[in-house]
Amino acid sequence: FDVHGAPIVGNDGQLKGMVLVFHDITELKKLEQARKDFVANVSHELKTPVTSLKGFTETLLDGAMHDEALREKFLTIIAKESVRLEELIGDLLELSRIEGEHFELNWEEVNLQELTSEVSLMLSEKARAKKMEIHTKSEGDVTIPADASRLKQVMINLINNAIVYSPEGGEIFVRLKGQEENVVMEVTDTGIGISKKEIPRIFERFYRVDRARSRNSGGTGLGLAIVKHLAEAHHAKLSVDSKPGRGTTFRMVFLRKPFGDEK
Ligand code: ADP
């Protein structure tokens, strides 16, 4: 508690009493701590690729560039780290845009089946490299009011995670189901799964169940934070079912009329 006090003094100059104001600052403290953690995390995440870029560039300038094999190897690492840095900055910008006060969705009629095939095609190469297949099943009318490019980002993040967090040869199912009041979208994988205890945390920015594994796989740790914010912006319900070692399902339920009666 934050306490402020003020004396009440009568006309005769005598102290008559005190006004005490108690202010609950636990929420504020929590927010302040979250902000500090975020800045520390961002700094750390940015520092890692920059340190590596600096190191490899210096080694090249110190003479390694005259060795063709080394040159190629180091330049490949530099290129990879630059992409990582670009992705990280892109995700941070996207997250701050979505969380910004003036953020608005571009509402239009979006056919989820079309969106799914676009995203599946985009990620098919990556899936094939791990001998995985993306299956889609759609029933009913799966057209909803949504922001197509934002929803595409949601699907990319979910399907990409399904690929990353599955062993070779796994399967991915995207199921779409148009019902009277809502449309359900599920992304299921046969991957490593997430324990019950970790599920509430995976939507936090930079939270990773297995830091080393996740960073090696190229993630930014921001994908699901973006998914959560975009689900909220769409008034969609987001939930997760998972069995460690068996697989995970991310489910989103979109309302046909996300604005209530006025639309
Ligand atoms: P990252 O860039 O690390 O993948 P995300 O925000 O997309 O960040 O995901 C946060 C964490 O949630 C991941 O690091 C991983 O531990 C876990 N996770 C996300 N999707 C899956 C999935 N389909 N299967 C198992 N674990 C997952």
Side-chain angles (χ1 to χ4, degrees), residues 24-263:
D24 184 353
I25 53 167
T26 21
E27 251 337 282
L28 274 177
K29 274 254 158 65
K30 261 193 223 153
L31 277 176
E32 178 61 13
Q33 191 54 46
R35 195 191 60 79
K36 281 186 188 155
D37 290 350
F38 181 61
V39 173
N41 279 330
V42 171
S43 314
H44 178 76
E45 295 290 331
L46 290 174
K47 200 162 188 290
T48 316
V50 172
T51 305
S52 145
L53 286 177
K54 189 167 160 246
F56 285 106
T57 314
E58 278 171 5
T59 315
L60 280 170
L61 289 173
D62 280 348
M65 66 178 161
H66 302 297
D67 177 327
E68 203 182 326
L70 272 186
R71 187 170 67 220
E72 172 120 22
K73 190 174 164 204
F74 289 178
L75 283 175
T76 308
I77 298 175
I78 289 174
K80 215 175 128 199
E81 290 294 324
S82 310
V83 169
R84 194 171 153 57
L85 202 54
E86 191 183 33
E87 279 173 2
L88 192 56
I89 294 170
D91 275 0
L92 277 169
L93 280 175
E94 177 70 358
L95 196 59
S96 87
R97 234 178 270 135
I98 300 170
E99 288 182 341
E101 237 178 274
H102 304 294
F103 177 69
E104 270 180 34
L105 290 181
N106 219 340
W107 293 97
E108 55 191 310
E109 289 290 304
V110 178
N111 184 318
L112 283 180
Q113 198 178 357
E114 283 169 20
L115 207 65
T116 307
S117 28
E118 261 179 63
V119 176
S120 301
L121 192 65
M122 254 183 81
L123 293 172
S124 59
E125 192 67 34
K126 188 166 179 174
R128 207 163 324 135
K130 282 186 79 175
K131 301 189 175 63
M132 293 178 74
E133 241 182 286
I134 306 172
H135 311 274
T136 309
K137 193 178 151 209
S138 177
E139 58 179 270
D141 170 13
V142 293
T143 302
I144 50 164
D147 183 322
S149 69
R150 253 61 202 224
L151 210 49
K152 192 167 168 183
Q153 192 60 55
V154 167
M155 285 202 147
I156 293 173
N157 291 358
L158 293 179
I159 299 178
N160 186 60
N161 278 350
I163 300 173
V164 169
Y165 300 105
S166 296
E168 273 203 2
E171 310 266 8
I172 298 170
F173 302 92
V174 181
R175 296 192 182 88
L176 307 170
K177 196 169 175 190
Q179 307 182 132
E180 197 171 317
E181 308 255 303
N182 55 36
V183 176
V184 182
M185 177 184 98
E186 287 179 348
V187 177
T188 301
D189 63 50
T190 53
I192 60 172
I194 310 165
S195 72
K196 250 205 169 71
K197 169 169 129 277
E198 304 278 1
I199 284 182
R201 303 213 57 191
I202 55 172
F203 297 100
E204 292 173 21
R205 305 139 157 177
F206 294 122
Y207 186 81
R208 286 145 169 167
V209 175
D210 180 344
R211 287 202 151 252
R213 173 189 214 134
S214 168
R215 194 165 298 121
N216 284 340
S217 63
T220 64
L222 296 172
L224 287 181
I226 292 176
V227 167
K228 181 175 172 233
H229 274 89
L230 289 178
E232 279 167 11
H234 279 91
H235 309 288
K237 220 176 118 201
L238 174 64
S239 56
V240 189
D241 267 333
S242 190
K243 281 209 173 67
R246 301 283 293 276
T248 305
T249 294
F250 282 86
R251 180 179 306 105
M252 282 174 90
V253 182
F254 297 91
L255 296 175
R256 291 213 181 269
K257 290 191 176 144
F259 313 100
D261 288 335
E262 77 254 34
K263 203 184 168 219

